[in-house]
Amino acid sequence: MAVPLFNLAPDLIVSRLCLGTMTFGEQNSLPESFLLLDKAFDSGINFFDSAEMYPVPQRTETQGRSEEYVGRWMRERKVPRDRVVLATKHALAYCDMLSVCSVCGLITLTFIKFIGLIGLYVPMFGETEYDPIKQFDSIDIEEQLDGLGRAVNAGKIRYIGLSNETPYGIMKFLHIAGRGPGRPKIVSVQNSYHLLCRAFDCGMAECCHHERVSLLAYSPLAMGILSGKYFLPDGGPSDARLNLFKGRYSEGESRYNLSSPIVQKAAKAYLDIAGKYGLHPVSLAVAFVLKHPLVASAVFGATKLWQLHEVLDACKVELDPEIIADIDKVHTTYWNPCP
């Protein structure tokens, strides 16, 4: 079954599955990354996501490799440029987790002529409450949009979006874009959305619906928790991300806290639902995300080909109202344990 498509912008059609590359250059070698990219592309995925901060965990020695690997894959495989949509994210003045990143350049993809979608980070990764004490001065939105507008006009990027954004941020970018000529309008927001985090539906969804901004839902498997692998008797594979980088991946571990009883209970409840209806847990999790009317694409990661196959299989799954009702009961009991 071919991966379905979504019209993200007037002339930008993306697959509803987007392969994230945050493991390329750390967990995945160059040959392994090429195999994953090959399989994804051959299966109908035309949408690939990266960031200048990747791979994770962030290290000065590896920063930028994920973008580099995607560029090398396109060049060496001679992939037609018009058959691939590339999304990357640029870090402005952000938090400590991006301290290894260079912020002197806007676009860091080395081998690619232009970017399909570029997103801007904001300092709210995994936070549930706004703290004015943590507010810091950054580049004015007017200046950001003017610079992005010049990049669009130069043919370097096609569209812009936001990442880890808030309702205020979305509306502010849209408002300022409408005040001046040549300022591009955001077409997407890339925020976390999955069974363990439905915070997008609290405010963000209303903004996106009325302003026609699509959600690129990242981490549909909650960093692998919803696959059930961490609940195996041995605690899951030693090379699973939360095991491999335990104690070295603070932003991931703080959000996806496996030691939290609430996270454990909620995740196991969703695994039980999958078992009740004879579904693979990955299919349940990904199909739930794709069912959301505002989701353009689910941005997922895979370090092994069989993991990629599991996500591809989820495109075949439709969740009926009875399953959704059971999901909503769990959500009401365990409200967004992985924000």
Side-chain angles (χ1 to χ4, degrees):
M1 179 179 178
V3 177
L5 302 175
F6 186 92
N7 194 353
L8 184 62
D11 59 347
L12 190 68
I13 296 176
V14 301
S15 52
R16 297 209 67 210
L17 293 177
C18 174
L19 178 61
T21 64
M22 67 190 303
T23 62
F24 293 5
E26 183 66 60
Q27 286 177 266
N28 289 112
S29 65
L30 182 63
E32 291 170 341
S33 301
F34 274 30
L35 286 175
L36 289 165
L37 289 163
D38 288 341
K39 177 60 182 177
F41 186 66
D42 292 342
S43 299
I45 293 177
N46 75 339
F47 197 14
F48 301 95
D49 175 72
S50 193
E52 69 169 351
M53 60 178 273
Y54 291 167
V56 296
Q58 294 79 31
R59 294 190 296 126
T60 303
E61 297 81 7
T62 60
Q63 186 266 322
R65 279 188 190 169
S66 297
E67 290 181 322
E68 176 191 344
Y69 283 12
V70 176
R72 291 179 65 174
W73 171 74
M74 291 191 66
R75 184 180 65 183
E76 295 183 24
R77 294 293 198 259
K78 295 181 172 56
V79 178
R81 184 60 191 88
D82 60 356
R83 293 190 60 195
V84 170
V85 177
L86 295 162
T88 191
K89 296 176 287 294
H90 173 63
L92 300 173
Y94 193 32
C95 63
D96 289 342
M97 82 180 202
L98 300 183
S99 61
V100 300
C101 296
S102 167
V103 294
C104 60
L106 179 63
I107 299 170
T108 58
L109 278 166
T110 307
F111 301 101
I112 299 170
K113 292 182 179 179
F114 65 94
I115 311 302
L117 179 71
I118 188 165
L120 302 175
Y121 281 111
V122 297
M124 289 293 287
F125 184 88
E127 296 182 9
T128 57
E129 297 180 1
Y130 175 73
D131 185 353
I133 297 177
K134 296 181 181 179
Q135 183 69 48
F136 56 82
D137 293 332
S138 185
I139 300 171
D140 289 338
I141 294 177
E142 290 90 342
E143 185 177 348
Q144 294 181 44
L145 289 175
D146 287 341
L148 288 165
R150 290 191 294 271
V152 170
N153 291 335
K156 295 180 179 179
I157 59 177
R158 295 173 66 187
Y159 294 97
I160 68 167
L162 299 170
S163 180
N164 293 300
E165 192 49 273
T166 64
Y168 172 82
I170 286 179
M171 298 309 297
K172 194 70 174 177
F173 267 89
L174 290 168
H175 174 67
I176 293 176
R179 287 195 325 198
R183 291 174 177 168
K185 174 184 178 293
I186 62 170
V187 299
S188 65
V189 59
Q190 185 169 326
N191 276 32
S192 176
Y193 188 79
H194 48 77
L195 288 169
L196 298 175
C197 177
R198 294 165 63 173
F200 172 82
D201 291 327
C202 302
M204 291 282 289
E206 182 181 11
C207 296
C208 289
H209 170 71
H210 289 295
E211 301 298 332
R212 298 184 180 181
V213 174
S214 295
L215 173 63
L216 305 179
Y218 74 79
S219 199
L221 297 177
M223 204 170 286
I225 292 176
L226 291 169
S227 72
K229 63 185 176 182
Y230 292 109
F231 302 108
L232 296 173
D234 61 358
S238 60
D239 61 351
R241 193 180 314 158
L242 291 176
N243 291 333
L244 182 63
F245 300 122
K246 190 173 183 178
R248 295 192 291 134
Y249 190 24
S250 58
E251 72 272 14
E253 291 173 312
S254 62
R255 175 180 278 187
Y256 305 102
N257 183 3
L258 281 170
S259 64
S260 166
I262 301 301
V263 171
Q264 294 178 19
K265 290 178 181 178
K268 289 178 180 177
Y270 291 122
L271 295 174
D272 288 343
I273 292 175
K276 175 181 177 180
Y277 292 99
L279 295 173
H280 193 289
V282 170
S283 292
L284 178 74
V286 175
F288 169 78
V289 172
L290 292 178
K291 189 176 179 65
H292 197 292
L294 294 174
V295 169
S297 190
V299 185
F300 71 97
T303 59
K304 298 176 177 64
L305 283 175
W306 62 263
Q307 294 173 328
L308 176 55
H309 280 286
E310 288 182 347
V311 176
L312 289 168
D313 287 342
C315 288
K316 307 172 187 177
V317 175
E318 287 286 341
L319 302 182
D320 61 35
E322 186 180 2
I323 300 176
I324 295 298
D326 283 356
I327 287 173
D328 287 342
K329 288 178 184 177
V330 176
H331 175 60
T332 301
T333 305
Y334 307 106
W335 191 265
N336 295 334
C338 293

